[in-house]
Amino acid sequence: MTTGLIPGGQTPDPRPSSTRPPHQRGDLTGQGALHVDDRPRSSVITARAAASFEPVGRSVATARSFVRDTLQGWGFADIIDDAVVLTSELVTNAVVHAGTHADVLCLRSADGVRIEVSDRYPEREIPLQGSLATMGSPDREGGRGLQLCAAIAGRWGVEYTPTHKQVWFQLDLPDRPVGTRTAGPSLPADLLPLADSRVRVAVVQIDRTGAISAWNEDAEELFGYSADQVTGKPLTDLAAWPHTPGTSTGIVEALQLSRWEGSYGIRGANGRVTPVYASHLRVRDTDGEPSTVCLLVRDHERAVLQTPSRGPASDPATTSDGQNADPFEVFIGSPAPDDLDGLLQRTVERARDMLDGDSAFLLLATDDETELEVRASTGLPSARQRFARVPVEAGPGRYGSARMPAVHEDLLAVPGAVPLLNGTGMRSVVTVPLKVEGRLTGSLGVAAEASGRYSNEEALRLQFAADRIALAVESARLGELERLRRGSLSFLVEASDLLAGTLDRDQTLALMAQMTVPTLATWCAVYTIADQASDPYLSYVLHEDEEFIDGIKSLLSKIAPPDPVPTPGARVWAAPAAAAHDAALRSSMRSLGLTGGPTHQMASGIGPTLATASAVGGETVVLPLVARNRVIGMLTLGKPTDEHFRQEILELAEDLSRRAALALDNARLYSERTAISQALQRSLLPPELPEIDGVEVEVIYRAAGEGNEVGGDFYDVFPISDGAYGFAIGDVCGTGPNAAAVTGLARHALRLLAREGLSGPAVLERLNSAILDEGARSRFLTLLYGEMRPQEDGSAELKVVCAGHPLPLRLRQNGTVEAAAEPQPLLGVMEDLELYEQTVTLDPGDVLLCVTDGVTERREGTRMLGDDGLADVLTTCTGLTAGAVAARIMRAVERFASDAPSDDMAILAMRVA
């Protein structure tokens, strides 16, 4: 769907006038005749909103929402229902029956609203013959939309263009007294809502990017931030939006609506969340830029801003014509809130007002009916009570069960009878159950600060109201639960994909934390356990506000970690909240000088300590991370002060912890295997190259494959005795671990045999026998082996055996390149080898280059570097050091092809200085 809104100005007709005969445009108000509506539309259009909808069934509902939101934003609530009904029928005709896109255009003028619905099927014309009864017969699929237009709209018509067919209707605004939008009943002073001595209304303006552009003095007083501290920051940094998986509307979406009212929280400068009631209005500034003005008051003062609900103005149980009203509407009002939280909040407020109480609360039962969860309250510290749980059966007898109505005249006489009210100052209370088909679904209670306020009569009145709303509450709860389940499934699928995409331990820890904060918790900490004999270690801490991370990490490091219990499920961990409370108390006492020390030294640290205590002082739960029947860590989730977790979030966190535990253990195993592999591979590489008087030696080695340090190619330079040095470069068939095993055998055997005083051919013949003894694990091997003896005249004498390996190349000072050995049979194939060695003398300035076939067989398509290409590159290396020669050869090899090398490569360059 695409939409556009252009307030103000004069808008011309958005489409060309029809070229068809005028009898195809008109009112179907006659008996089978079509009359032309030749009255001009209003010449001044004050606002315009347009949207396009795809030809799918769900577009009808989306179109209804679009028209409803548009007219609501324009303040035309009186005609919304009629406009939505007509739009629904006309869009259905377009997207369902005509099967094309539907374009909806809303035009606002001084005397009404004109809505145009166009489809892209002009060939499917409106029937011209017959009566309205024939067109809009209930037995037919199409036509009813036109009949409704004729019955409801003040004016309507049909227009054709070569590409569109348009049906339009205009709804006139009812006459209303100027300045009157809605009014509430006249109430006695004692029934008016209670507010502070001074009601503060925070006025916050949000620009099109979601950043705060204006912040008045009342906002500073309510939330503790100065205008300079918040200007330019996103409102999302301060808003504690009641957002959980499965819900669609968030703070960003709410700021984009033309009008919005509701409750959320603002996190103040002290770290506490202040519940507020907000009214949003989207406007444009003089430059045409959209922005949103937010009016905010404390939540218990919501009557200052909340739009009164439509309801009966006289007798609450009887309409003006004497008919009985719907009991649900009598109690809740009309229309009922669409969301569960709104329905529950309105329920407790009406229950409190109905019994003239000081507070009210509503709890919903869990699926097994063993516990009740606090979901709404008024007149109580709601943040502390929300999502707290109490047992259904609190004690023996009738008054200990939430399944029966109960009246307590004085809670001081029965301490703890209603745990929810402990420490609130409430004395008398009446509670009634909510039941659907005999099953307990919740509990509704009203309390007062005075004793003896309630009797069985009030219990009956409250029970009657509870019976009226129980089914609606249960229906809304099931709808919310279904949304949560769908959102949870999507959340877990995304989490599984992210966790499966990495085998890095640190990244896995970071992903675990980032997926839980802020979706599931305000902060989290991950403890890991290296082995069964190790203590849990604090590995990662994350808070939705980065400023709190260091404080939480410091606090958790000073307390003992939670016990690694393998029992599944979340368990409450009280230690962080207790430690935060103690730390805040000590800081406060030191700041007041109660400990006898200087106060100025500690005053600077009290702010972060109190903020950390507020962030960690709520409910904290621990979930074990169990993988392969072993506890490998704990996932700790926390809420700010006085907040609780709801059960659905804990169940989702438990599912996440199982997936995260397996991903973390896989990362651990991968890290261990990688460390072992790297240690073994490093053992196959020779130690540092020896320093040879008068000879420069340089080696470049590249193993193919990710994570491999050693492959099938190998090299070695080592001292033998009496100023002689052995050198070797070889290539085992294949790559990877199997080839590396033969590499280790060859390198260590060469050193051992050479130091026994054997000649080059004898060394290689014994190595050949050792390779063949490996049986099925043996692999053939190409090897260049030689012994070097520096001479007194500055030259170096080499004795070389080239067993199936690419020939070594000798670069003379004059730039000529020639082979320095002859090819002989490779190793690991035949048992009886007859090898011989060749003697080569390197003069000062000469270079001997030895490479493996990964260098010479470097390919780009059908081209291959080859021996000739290597010789050409070596010709350009005259006068270079051994290191420069090796580096130039490697650059030439890498530039020869764009793909990554698929074979191991080794380059050994020796230059006589």
Side-chain angles (χ1 to χ4, degrees), residues 491-492 495 499 515-516 520 652-661:
F491 173 78
L492 290 174
L499 291 171
M515 285 184 292
T516 56
L520 305 182
L652 180 58
E654 185 178 356
D655 287 339
L656 175 64
S657 67
R658 287 195 292 266
R659 290 164 170 79

Side-chain angles (χ1 to χ4, degrees), residues 173-214:
L173 295 177
D175 294 332
R176 293 187 298 183
V178 175
T180 301
R181 179 184 177 193
T182 181
S186 176
L187 295 176
D190 57 345
L191 296 181
L192 295 176
L194 182 64
D196 291 346
S197 57
R198 176 182 175 184
V199 176
R200 297 186 181 274
V201 180
V203 181
V204 183
Q205 189 156 359
I206 313 300
D207 62 22
R208 67 182 308 164
T209 66
I212 297 172
S213 58

Side-chain angles (χ1 to χ4, degrees), residues 844-859:
D846 288 356
V847 175
L848 183 71
L849 177 67
C850 310
V851 300
T852 57
D853 60 3
V855 174
T856 57
E857 294 180 1
R858 178 73 162 147
R859 294 180 180 274

Side-chain angles (χ1 to χ4, degrees), residues 122-142:
E123 292 81 4
R124 188 176 185 271
E125 297 183 358
I126 301 297
L128 301 179
Q129 305 297 329
S131 65
L132 280 175
T134 304
M135 291 174 53
S137 172
D139 296 331
R140 296 189 54 187
E141 280 295 313

Side-chain angles (χ1 to χ4, degrees), residues 32-217:
L34 290 168
H35 301 286
V36 177
D37 177 23
D38 52 5
R39 288 173 288 182
R41 71 178 68 175
S42 175
S43 59
V44 177
I45 302 299
T46 58
R48 175 182 183 273
S52 180
F53 304 92
E54 298 178 354
V56 293
R58 64 176 181 272
S59 294
V60 179
T62 309
R64 288 197 296 264
S65 299
F66 164 70
V67 172
R68 181 181 299 277
D69 290 342
T70 299
L71 299 189
Q72 183 71 37
W74 289 347
F76 294 162
D78 298 314
I79 61 175
I80 285 179
D81 294 338
D82 291 344
V84 168
V85 168
L86 296 180
T87 303
S88 179
E89 289 294 329
L90 297 180
V91 173
T92 300
N93 290 340
V95 302
V96 176
H97 303 310
T100 75
H101 283 70
D103 300 323
V104 179
L105 175 66
C106 301
L107 301 173
R108 182 182 70 184
S109 61
D111 56 350
V113 173
R114 173 178 171 129
I115 298 179
E116 303 175 357
V117 180
S118 304
D119 64 49
R120 303 173 188 179
Y121 191 3
E123 292 81 4
R124 188 176 185 271
E125 297 183 358
I126 301 297
L128 301 179
Q129 305 297 329
S131 65
L132 280 175
T134 304
M135 291 174 53
S137 172
D139 296 331
R140 296 189 54 187
E141 280 295 313
R144 289 194 295 268
L146 302 178
Q147 187 179 24
L148 286 173
C149 287
I152 296 177
R155 286 181 289 165
W156 72 282
V158 182
E159 299 178 359
Y160 287 93
T161 71
T163 58
H164 290 75
K165 175 174 80 271
Q166 176 194 115
V167 180
W168 62 269
F169 62 87
Q170 179 160 336
L171 298 174
D172 298 327
L173 295 177
D175 294 332
R176 293 187 298 183
V178 175
T180 301
R181 179 184 177 193
T182 181
S186 176
L187 295 176
D190 57 345
L191 296 181
L192 295 176
L194 182 64
D196 291 346
S197 57
R198 176 182 175 184
V199 176
R200 297 186 181 274
V201 180
V203 181
V204 183
Q205 189 156 359
I206 313 300
D207 62 22
R208 67 182 308 164
T209 66
I212 297 172
S213 58
W215 184 268
N216 72 342
E217 293 181 358

Side-chain angles (χ1 to χ4, degrees), residues 608-623:
T609 302
L610 293 177
T612 302
S614 177
V616 184
E619 186 175 65
T620 303
V621 297
V622 178
L623 297 103

